[in-house]
Amino acid sequence: YQGGFETPESFKPFAGAPSGSFTGTGFDGYRTGNFVNRDSLIGVQATYWAPNPGGTDSCNFIIVQKKFFNRTASAVNHVTIGEQIDWDIPSDISSANSSKILNGYTVYQRGTDTGKVPDCGTQYDSARYGGAMLFGKYDKAEFALNSCANDIAPVGIWSEIQDTMFKYDSLSDGNLEGKYFWNRMKHQTGLTATTFKNNDLRTVYTWYADRNFTGNDTVTIYTCLATVKKGTEADLDKTFKTAFEWYKRHLRPPTCSCLPSCQPPGCCYPNSSDGRTGNVDCDPGKGVDISDLSALIDNLFINFTPLCCTASANIDGSPDGGIDISDLSALIDNLFINFTPTAMCLY
């Protein structure tokens, strides 16, 4: 909205709602106040939480809560909610990024190197990552029925070349930009990473598509913005998992800490009948038996066949998620010796 870029689709500040910074134990925060859309029917308020270096958690993620609310007592229909982020991960050539799907739950962007020599000490831009992940969403009625309501499935996430918008520029073409996003976000489902590389990319996230708001309805959406300055795809995945645990501890009721509905997207919980590890072979029946033991032995010692769901093979529940002989021992104990339950899924 600011800096001369306001368009007919811009959300405008709405006076009266509190805004400003706040602090807590181990984190800093900020509230934006309220904004309204072009016809003032839908309002939005955002709150940000950022663990600081003085806390016990990683400081390379921010948790965002956005509340979208119908400001009237009448229905407002066909509302699509999401966001686009022009990540501009630092690269050798401007903001030329690549993109990839991360473990079946989001799409990230990555920096680009044009040569073999790092451009800043030992920093390679291809070791820089950024992405957003849906941590949970619910509406007012869902929360009233269950304070642990937490839909973790986005409608769709995709990356595309930023230049796509040159033909939908609302600064010169009226409201074509809004029409482009509404139609694309309504129909683009699932996760799609563009095959274009070394381009100025953006990522678009759809949280609700063509949703009808009843009078005075509100939807609450929690997302995570995460970056890795120097690392790997695995480091970005770990950052999201760490951030999700922070979200559960700090922003959701304590009683939600162990519910499957409060778990992040991943393969272990959908792969399990009771929220525990052990279904190593990803059997659709979700049982734990000797075939899982065979799959784990094959992965560790014979053909080294990749696991279909690493999280399900973390039988001993090690925090780092590593799979080794201790997991094999724990599975043998579960099946044949002391019948000790396998560890709970970490994600």
Side-chain angles (χ1 to χ4, degrees):
Y1 174 72
Q2 64 184 3
F5 287 98
E6 61 267 22
T7 74
E9 287 75 42
S10 294
F11 277 77
K12 310 297 192 297
F14 182 76
S19 63
S21 60
F22 59 91
T23 59
T25 303
F27 67 86
D28 301 312
Y30 190 85
R31 296 184 181 90
T32 65
N34 288 351
F35 289 71
V36 294
N37 70 328
R38 62 183 300 176
D39 56 15
S40 300
L41 295 180
I42 299 294
V44 59
Q45 181 187 72
T47 304
Y48 299 81
W49 291 269
N52 58 46
T56 58
D57 295 285
S58 166
C59 58
N60 60 334
F61 64 83
I62 295 174
I63 309 296
V64 187
Q65 178 204 69
K66 289 183 179 176
K67 292 187 175 183
F68 293 85
F69 48 92
N70 181 358
R71 301 183 64 244
T72 76
S74 302
V76 178
N77 297 328
H78 309 300
V79 178
T80 292
I81 297 175
E83 56 194 301
Q84 66 139 335
I85 300 179
D86 180 10
W87 280 96
D88 283 340
I89 306 299
S91 296
D92 284 359
I93 47 176
S94 185
S95 53
N97 292 168
S98 61
S99 182
K100 188 177 177 182
I101 296 172
L102 179 62
N103 287 346
Y105 63 77
T106 195
V107 176
Y108 67 75
Q109 288 185 212
R110 181 183 182 184
T112 299
D113 293 305
T114 56
K116 297 182 179 180
V117 179
D119 57 3
C120 183
T122 59
Q123 174 70 62
Y124 283 97
D125 290 325
S126 57
R128 302 179 188 265
Y129 295 79
M133 173 181 169
L134 177 64
F135 274 7
K137 60 181 180 178
Y138 52 81
D139 61 28
K140 186 185 296 184
E142 290 168 338
F143 187 79
L145 290 174
N146 176 15
S147 62
C148 293
N150 202 67
D151 183 357
I152 58 177
V155 174
I157 301 176
W158 81 90
S159 56
E160 64 182 8
I161 298 178
Q162 187 79 357
D163 292 356
T164 305
M165 285 311 302
F166 285 175
K167 57 184 177 180
Y168 300 108
D169 186 351
S170 59
L171 294 178
S172 59
D173 296 328
N175 62 358
L176 291 180
E177 181 179 358
K179 290 180 179 178
Y180 168 81
F181 276 115
W182 192 90
N183 284 296
R184 180 79 185 272
M185 293 167 72
K186 176 183 176 182
H187 295 102
Q188 181 83 34
T189 60
L191 306 176
T192 306
T194 180
T195 57
F196 288 99
K197 296 181 180 180
N198 302 339
N199 278 278
D200 185 10
L201 305 179
R202 71 157 157 267
T203 308
V204 182
Y205 310 82
T206 309
W207 311 132
Y208 288 95
D210 199 13
R211 186 187 187 279
N212 295 333
F213 276 71
T214 58
N216 301 309
D217 190 13
T218 298
V219 296
T220 301
I221 302 167
Y222 286 95
T223 58
C224 173
L225 306 178
T227 61
V228 171
K229 181 180 179 182
K230 188 176 182 180
T232 65
E233 179 183 279
D235 292 318
L236 181 63
D237 182 60
K238 183 178 179 180
T239 295
F240 279 127
K241 300 303 189 296
T242 300
F244 192 86
E245 293 303 314
W246 194 95
Y247 160 70
K248 288 196 298 181
R249 292 198 309 271
H250 293 267
L251 304 180
R252 300 309 304 271
T255 53
C256 299
S257 60
C258 294
L259 294 181
S261 64
C262 282
Q263 293 299 322
C267 56
C268 189
Y269 265 92
N271 201 36
S272 171
S273 62
D274 58 359
R276 294 185 178 276
T277 58
N279 186 15
V280 180
D281 64 351
C282 299
D283 174 13
K286 303 182 180 182
V288 180
D289 52 32
I290 195 170
S291 63
D292 299 294
L293 184 62
S294 298
L296 188 54
I297 292 172
D298 180 77
N299 168 261
L300 290 172
F301 306 113
I302 305 177
N303 295 311
F304 311 107
T305 305
L307 296 166
C308 55
C309 176
T310 303
S312 291
N314 186 15
I315 311 298
D316 65 350
S318 57
D320 63 1
I323 308 303
D324 52 31
I325 195 171
S326 64
D327 298 293
L328 183 62
S329 298
L331 186 56
I332 292 173
D333 181 78
N334 167 262
L335 291 171
F336 306 113
I337 305 176
N338 296 311
F339 312 108
T340 305
T342 62
M344 295 297 296
C345 291
L346 294 180
Y347 53 89

